[in-house]
Amino acid sequence: MLDYMSLTKKLAIVGISLFLGACQSMMTGEKPLVAQRVAWEHVTPGCTGEPCPLVNIDTLRFAQEPQLNPLIERALLRMTTDAPDAPLPASLESYEKDFLVRAEPGWKTYLQAKLREQHDQMVIIELSSYLATGGAHGMPGRGFINYDRDQHKALTLKDMLKPGTEDAFWHLAEQAHQRWLKANKLDQDPEYVKTWPFARTENIALLKKSVLLKYDVYTLAPYSSGHVPLTIPYSQLGAILKPEYMPASQ
């Protein structure tokens, strides 16, 4: 009887442990979300051949996390404006309609959202844009959404960092910039360093292996350099990043 009772207790403990483990897995969002791609491309009605004005939309929908969908659309719409306080189009469809009405021959606009990574409770969406309205080349844009599935919200930098550590975070980012300059042998060019000094960015992604900062063109480098990427290893962020945003693999 004692052996039977002991076995029963052990099985109960194992059952509780498995239950708690399953709950924790659900809470931390370990089961990946399934993304549905929604894409279309249209030209000005009645236009044939080149160079017809064109709108290309390539975005995502998440049935399991409906709160994420309007965040993606709003972020893409924000990339269509030139000023942070400019009014946003009502929807991607209305943006397309208005663009094609006013577009001149050869104008093109591309908006894309792609699933960059999923880890722990985080879903990282990378946003891309490209607008060509004449000139030597179009203007590309980049952005990120760091979506916390536990809180059902997109994180700001303030949400990610421990209180009072923002300056320390940007100091690490500046060190990452120095590493980038050195790796590209640009630190040896005083004129380049003077012309393209370090700057802050809103394009930050909590990836699994490191924190990524991706800069818009003309911010840290000429157009030809594209979107300059800087990375900060998590090993440097222990006293800066909130514990819940430190990947479990670190």
Side-chain angles (χ1 to χ4, degrees), residues 19 79 82 97 105 144 236:
F19 173 76
M79 299 177 82
D82 296 328
K97 180 179 178 180
F144 293 101
Q236 296 182 356

Side-chain angles (χ1 to χ4, degrees), residues 219-233:
T219 304
L220 296 184
Y223 183 93
S224 58
S225 295
H227 297 277
V228 173
L230 304 180
T231 57
I232 304 175

Side-chain angles (χ1 to χ4, degrees), residues 91-192:
S91 65
L92 292 171
E93 289 80 6
S94 66
Y95 168 70
E96 174 193 283
K97 180 179 178 180
D98 293 343
F99 181 88
L100 292 178
V101 166
R102 61 185 176 83
E104 298 178 9
W107 285 21
K108 296 180 181 181
T109 180
Y110 296 81
L111 293 171
Q112 181 189 64
K114 68 178 182 179
L115 181 58
R116 177 66 185 261
E117 276 191 12
Q118 295 190 70
H119 65 86
D120 303 273
Q121 82 275 26
M122 299 302 302
V123 180
I124 312 300
I125 305 296
E126 183 164 5
L127 309 159
S128 306
S129 66
Y130 184 80
L131 177 63
T133 56
H137 52 68
M139 282 298 295
R142 288 292 186 278
F144 293 101
I145 296 174
N146 298 275
Y147 186 79
D148 184 331
R149 290 178 64 185
D150 288 349
Q151 298 191 56
H152 303 287
K153 64 176 284 188
L155 302 177
T156 64
L157 181 62
K158 184 177 180 180
D159 294 327
M160 303 174 192
L161 304 182
K162 296 177 181 178
T165 63
E166 186 169 346
D167 287 344
F169 174 83
W170 288 115
H171 179 66
L172 291 177
E174 192 164 4
Q175 291 179 347
H177 178 232
Q178 292 299 318
R179 292 194 297 271
W180 179 83
L181 288 171
K182 186 174 182 179
N184 290 278
K185 296 182 172 56
L186 297 170
D187 60 326
Q188 302 170 19
D189 184 346
E191 188 62 29
Y192 187 99

